[in-house]
Each structure stands twice: as structure tokens, then as C-alpha cells.
């Protein structure tokens, strides 16, 4: 069930995709899925709970998580959430299961029925829920993948797998850029602290820092 691979080895298989509009409901339930889930928020506003953390969901928000993750989609009161959703695997090992596998309520979930879990050897961020904002650059491509899937024309599966790989590559590159900026900021802060420690007995101004 669990495999260790590098990002270069993935060959995504899209099991199902659709554009869905979810209206506000008084009650919300937690679900768990047996395959990977990706949601791109196309319209509306609300929140997505992943495990016990709440994340604002509005146009351009991107979410992805692995099987067995507890989640709940919750439009805000008097609002809705419209999203492009994908059920997928990172490999084609279980492409014989080419039908939608619905999620279960948390209390009914059977962990032994998980289809695939991937541990990445070179991109740790994909081993945890991915939450990104302002990802509108993916919208056209995700809609094209959805439309190609619905068309079911000859070789549609190969086409959407290639396009979905491009989407995942963009996400991976975005995560790498964010991580690089964060590490750069940490290095700057460390340098400032080191400078202050070395010159604590002198007058220090902002220009010198």
C-alpha cells in the first residue's frame, strides 16, 4: 500500500474529476477518502477543515491531501463553494480501479481499503496536506483536464495524465520557491542576531544591520 518514490517517478492516474457546487448546510460531517484528493476553489467562499485545522477557501485556493486524511468542506452561511475536485493516484499501479471510489464518513472508514500511499524521497511537502492560495494560474489547465475526462475520447486517459503531471510540477515548484524564500528569511534573521551579539556593546543603527 505504501511506496517510496521520487517525484520523477510519478505517473498520475485520475480516477474521477468534476466541477461541483456545494451550498451551505447547517450540519457538517468529516469524511476520509481511499485515494488522493485535490480541490481547486473555482468560486464562492467557505472553509476546508483538514484533520483539526481550518483553512479559508476562496477562488484560487488549492488543497491536496493523501488517503485517510480527515476533511470537511464548509461553505460560509449564505454562500457556496464551487470547486474542481480530483480523485487520483500518483502511480498507475491501481489503474484497474477506474471507477470513482467514494469517501466514507469518518466512523465508517476502513484503513485497509486505502488504494495507495506515496512517501516522496525528494519532496517532503507532498507527504503532508498541501494548502496554497492564489493558484489561479492552474485554473484553465484544470478545467481542460476535467473537460477531457468528461469527453472520454480515445486516449483521454493518457492526455489528462500528462496534463495533470504538469499541474503537479507547478505545485511542486511553487512549494520549492516558498521553502527557498522562507529559508532565505531565516538566514537573514540569523545573520542579524549574530551581528547584534558581536556588537552588543556598540551603538547599532538600522543601516548597519
Amino acid at each position: 500500500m505504501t511506496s517510496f518514490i521520487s517525484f520523477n517517478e510519478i505517473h498520475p492516474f485520475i480516477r474521477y474529476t468534476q466541477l461541483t457546487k456545494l451550498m451551505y448546510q447547517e450540519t457538517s460531517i468529516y469524511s476520509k477518502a481511499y485515494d488522493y484528493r485535490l480541490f481547486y476553489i473555482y468560486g464562492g467562499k467557505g472553509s476546508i477543515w483538514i484533520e483539526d485545522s481550518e483553512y479559508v477557501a476562496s477562488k484560487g485556493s488549492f488543497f491536496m491531501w493523501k488517503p485517510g486524511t480527515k476533511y470537511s468542506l464548509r461553505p460560509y452561511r449564505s454562500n457556496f463553494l464551487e470547486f474542481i475536485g480530483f480523485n487520483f493516484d500518483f502511480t498507475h499501479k491501481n489503474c484497474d480501479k477506474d471507477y470513482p471510489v467514494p469517501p466514507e464518513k469518518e466512523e465508517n472508514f476502513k484503513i485497509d481499503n486505502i488504494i495507495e500511499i506515496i512517501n516522496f524521497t525528494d519532496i517532503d511537502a507532498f507527504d503532508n496536506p498541501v494548502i496554497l492560495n492564489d493558484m489561479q494560474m492552474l485554473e484553465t489547465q484544470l478545467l481542460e483536464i476535467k473537460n477531457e475526462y468528461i469527453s472520454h475520447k480515445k486516449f483521454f486517459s493518457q492526455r489528462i495524465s500528462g496534463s495533470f503531471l504538469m499541474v503537479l510540477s507547478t505545485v511542486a515548484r511553487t512549494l520549492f520557491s516558498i521553502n527557498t524564500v522562507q529559508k532565505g528569511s531565516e538566514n537573514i534573521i540569523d545573520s542579524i542576531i549574530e551581528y547584534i551579539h558581536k556588537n552588543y556593546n556598540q551603538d547599532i543603527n538600522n543601516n548597519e544591520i
Side-chain angles (χ1 to χ4, degrees), residues 48-98:
I48 293 184
W49 285 78
I50 303 175
E51 295 298 343
D52 295 317
S53 298
E54 181 182 15
Y55 303 93
V56 174
S58 58
K59 188 171 181 63
S61 298
F62 176 97
F63 302 88
M64 184 175 71
W65 55 80
K66 63 185 178 182
T69 301
K70 182 175 71 172
Y71 69 93
S72 178
L73 283 69
R74 304 178 185 181
Y76 288 155
R77 186 180 295 274
S78 302
N79 214 316
F80 64 91
L81 274 178
E82 191 170 16
F83 54 88
I84 311 169
F86 291 84
N87 309 4
F88 74 99
D89 299 336
F90 277 105
T91 75
H92 267 61
K93 291 180 180 178
N94 297 284
C95 64
D96 56 310
K97 295 184 175 69
D98 59 355

Side-chain angles (χ1 to χ4, degrees), residues 3 8 10 21-22 32 42-43 53 55-56 59 80 89 96 99 101 105 126 134 140-141 156 168 173 188-189 205 208:
S3 300
N8 289 336
I10 70 172
K21 190 172 185 177
L22 183 65
K32 290 185 175 183
Y42 187 65
S53 298
Y55 303 93
V56 174
K59 188 171 181 63
F80 64 91
D89 299 336
D96 56 310
Y99 48 85
V101 180
K105 291 182 180 179
F126 271 24
D134 303 320
T140 298
Q141 198 162 17
F156 82 94
L168 294 174
R173 181 176 290 178
I188 291 171
I189 292 171
N205 57 47
E208 291 173 334

Side-chain angles (χ1 to χ4, degrees), residues 109-174:
F109 186 76
K110 299 177 179 60
I111 192 169
D112 291 340
N113 291 343
I114 286 177
I115 296 172
E116 169 187 274
I117 289 183
I118 298 298
N119 287 334
F120 284 91
T121 59
D122 55 353
I123 179 166
D124 294 343
F126 271 24
D127 294 333
N128 300 300
V130 175
I131 298 98
L132 295 168
N133 295 316
D134 303 320
M135 296 298 287
Q136 285 90 335
M137 81 280 277
L138 298 176
E139 186 172 297
T140 298
Q141 198 162 17
L142 292 173
L143 285 171
E144 289 175 351
I145 295 171
K146 186 265 298 180
N147 292 336
E148 182 71 21
Y149 173 87
I150 291 172
S151 76
H152 261 61
K153 293 180 181 178
K154 195 169 183 63
F155 306 123
F156 82 94
S157 182
Q158 290 84 353
R159 286 173 60 91
I160 63 177
S161 179
S163 295
F164 199 66
L165 179 57
M166 290 181 63
V167 168
L168 294 174
S169 299
T170 299
V171 173
R173 181 176 290 178
T174 301

